[in-house]
Amino acid sequence: MTGTTIRTLREKYDAGEPLTMLTAYDAPIARLVDEGGVDMILVGDSAGHNHLGYGDTLPVTLEEALSNTGAVARAADDALVIGDLPFLTYGASLEQSVENAGRFLKEAGADAVKLETAPGGETTIELVERLVELGIPVQGHVGLTPQRMNEMGGAVIQGREGPESAFADELVDTARRLADAGVFTLVLEGITEPVAKRVTEAVDVPTIGIGAGRYVDGQVLVINDVLGLGGEGYRLSKQYADLDGVIAGAVESYVSDVESGAFPTEENIYEPIDDGGTDAGADRGADED
Ligand code: KIV
């Protein structure tokens, strides 16, 4: 069990402190994200386009998600690690959904799972109840739910009709039912600020917004967008670094050093008499004379 638990998250929420979440998909980034002090790391199915080279989240498989989640869970000491159930790995049958969700805790070492719910989504609300009863904490996700992109007609911001609309009423009802079913947090994605505010006020679980404005209980961003790593720069996001530039510069310098003979130098070589029989990989990081 990590330092952060659903109980400590609840204490923070009750104290009125904002909750933080970032995505990560591999161990080196997860280690840094964890050390940076986030409360939760989501091993999102946004790995589809940010890590695995797919066009969107739909092709991500259960095995890929489990592998990414395992890497993150092994690297994170403090943050609560949440595995994201990929498209159609839940919902077809209750039995298979429970088995698939359970693998994130049993095999990958996650602390919780996340799943998306459509407006009024009976199937997933029933699934949340079952998972929570069995000891699998669940993070809900409503609003712009990317796994339903085809059904929604694209990445359409939800709630443009306003906070008093029938759409907002249904979203509030869905959020309440998810809270009653036992979600420990609820992601609100791509929702106009007044509607996200209304949902947040209506439920007694922390809401975690992405593109949902200021009046939520916490925020989540995709790590690639935060780091400037192959991202496009979305209005909902904020870029804090330019890893594309840093990596491109490093690779160009390496190529130029090898081509010019500036690397490797005497410092980088092994003398037969000094290497103590170790191989190059085993003591890669060691300082040697
Ligand atoms: O997959 C993901 O990264 C997500 C977040 C954007 C909430 O679902």
mmCIF file of all heavy atoms in Angstrom, residues 4 77 90 139 189-190 198 207 231 263 282:
data_model
loop_
_atom_site.group_PDB
_atom_site.id
_atom_site.type_symbol
_atom_site.label_atom_id
_atom_site.label_comp_id
_atom_site.label_asym_id
_atom_site.label_seq_id
_atom_site.Cartn_x
_atom_site.Cartn_y
_atom_site.Cartn_z
ATOM 1 N N THR A 4 -0.281 7.439 0.069
ATOM 2 C CA THR A 4 -1.623 8.020 -0.087
ATOM 3 C C THR A 4 -2.643 6.895 -0.187
ATOM 4 O O THR A 4 -2.443 5.925 -0.915
ATOM 5 C CB THR A 4 -1.679 8.863 -1.378
ATOM 6 O OG1 THR A 4 -0.670 9.857 -1.322
ATOM 7 C CG2 THR A 4 -3.036 9.531 -1.539
ATOM 8 N N ASP A 77 6.143 5.499 -4.848
ATOM 9 C CA ASP A 77 6.153 5.130 -3.426
ATOM 10 C C ASP A 77 4.997 5.752 -2.648
ATOM 11 O O ASP A 77 4.500 5.166 -1.696
ATOM 12 C CB ASP A 77 7.454 5.604 -2.768
ATOM 13 C CG ASP A 77 8.613 4.717 -3.141
ATOM 14 O OD1 ASP A 77 8.358 3.540 -3.468
ATOM 15 O OD2 ASP A 77 9.762 5.202 -3.136
ATOM 16 N N TYR A 90 -14.596 -3.672 -19.873
ATOM 17 C CA TYR A 90 -15.641 -3.700 -18.851
ATOM 18 C C TYR A 90 -16.964 -3.392 -19.544
ATOM 19 O O TYR A 90 -16.988 -2.770 -20.607
ATOM 20 C CB TYR A 90 -15.360 -2.696 -17.725
ATOM 21 C CG TYR A 90 -15.275 -1.239 -18.165
ATOM 22 C CD1 TYR A 90 -16.321 -0.346 -17.911
ATOM 23 C CD2 TYR A 90 -14.155 -0.760 -18.833
ATOM 24 C CE1 TYR A 90 -16.239 0.983 -18.300
ATOM 25 C CE2 TYR A 90 -14.068 0.572 -19.234
ATOM 26 C CZ TYR A 90 -15.116 1.436 -18.963
ATOM 27 O OH TYR A 90 -15.035 2.754 -19.358
ATOM 28 N N GLN A 139 -12.477 5.005 -9.253
ATOM 29 C CA GLN A 139 -12.606 6.412 -9.609
ATOM 30 C C GLN A 139 -13.580 6.491 -10.792
ATOM 31 O O GLN A 139 -13.382 5.810 -11.802
ATOM 32 C CB GLN A 139 -11.237 6.968 -10.016
ATOM 33 C CG GLN A 139 -11.263 8.416 -10.469
ATOM 34 C CD GLN A 139 -9.857 8.971 -10.616
ATOM 35 O OE1 GLN A 139 -9.148 8.610 -11.550
ATOM 36 N NE2 GLN A 139 -9.458 9.837 -9.702
ATOM 37 N N GLU A 189 -14.523 15.537 -17.048
ATOM 38 C CA GLU A 189 -13.685 15.914 -18.196
ATOM 39 C C GLU A 189 -14.495 16.712 -19.217
ATOM 40 O O GLU A 189 -15.620 16.328 -19.577
ATOM 41 C CB GLU A 189 -13.103 14.662 -18.878
ATOM 42 C CG GLU A 189 -12.294 15.027 -20.128
ATOM 43 C CD GLU A 189 -11.454 13.886 -20.702
ATOM 44 O OE1 GLU A 189 -11.434 12.789 -20.129
ATOM 45 O OE2 GLU A 189 -10.816 14.128 -21.750
ATOM 46 N N GLY A 190 -13.887 17.800 -19.707
ATOM 47 C CA GLY A 190 -14.465 18.546 -20.831
ATOM 48 C C GLY A 190 -15.887 18.998 -20.583
ATOM 49 O O GLY A 190 -16.770 18.750 -21.406
ATOM 50 N N ARG A 198 -21.887 22.805 -10.611
ATOM 51 C CA ARG A 198 -23.145 22.254 -10.097
ATOM 52 C C ARG A 198 -22.956 20.786 -9.681
ATOM 53 O O ARG A 198 -23.441 20.366 -8.627
ATOM 54 C CB ARG A 198 -24.238 22.371 -11.177
ATOM 55 C CG ARG A 198 -25.587 22.075 -10.622
ATOM 56 C CD ARG A 198 -26.731 22.180 -11.579
ATOM 57 N NE ARG A 198 -27.759 21.261 -11.121
ATOM 58 C CZ ARG A 198 -28.733 20.764 -11.848
ATOM 59 N NH1 ARG A 198 -28.851 21.130 -13.114
ATOM 60 N NH2 ARG A 198 -29.610 19.920 -11.337
ATOM 61 N N THR A 207 -14.423 15.868 -6.727
ATOM 62 C CA THR A 207 -14.425 15.892 -8.188
ATOM 63 C C THR A 207 -13.036 16.348 -8.656
ATOM 64 O O THR A 207 -12.439 17.259 -8.081
ATOM 65 C CB THR A 207 -15.495 16.840 -8.745
ATOM 66 O OG1 THR A 207 -15.295 18.141 -8.183
ATOM 67 C CG2 THR A 207 -16.891 16.346 -8.423
ATOM 68 N N GLY A 231 3.087 16.750 -27.274
ATOM 69 C CA GLY A 231 1.687 17.165 -27.150
ATOM 70 C C GLY A 231 1.328 18.278 -28.123
ATOM 71 O O GLY A 231 2.187 18.824 -28.810
ATOM 72 N N PHE A 263 32.770 11.909 -29.051
ATOM 73 C CA PHE A 263 32.310 10.848 -28.149
ATOM 74 C C PHE A 263 32.480 9.524 -28.866
ATOM 75 O O PHE A 263 32.138 9.430 -30.054
ATOM 76 C CB PHE A 263 30.845 11.033 -27.755
ATOM 77 C CG PHE A 263 30.342 9.892 -26.903
ATOM 78 C CD1 PHE A 263 30.562 9.880 -25.536
ATOM 79 C CD2 PHE A 263 29.700 8.794 -27.482
ATOM 80 C CE1 PHE A 263 30.135 8.815 -24.759
ATOM 81 C CE2 PHE A 263 29.280 7.729 -26.702
ATOM 82 C CZ PHE A 263 29.491 7.745 -25.338
ATOM 83 N N ALA A 282 26.553 -3.768 -16.340
ATOM 84 C CA ALA A 282 26.368 -3.922 -14.921
ATOM 85 C C ALA A 282 26.841 -2.724 -14.120
ATOM 86 O O ALA A 282 26.286 -2.404 -13.064
ATOM 87 C CB ALA A 282 27.091 -5.167 -14.429
#
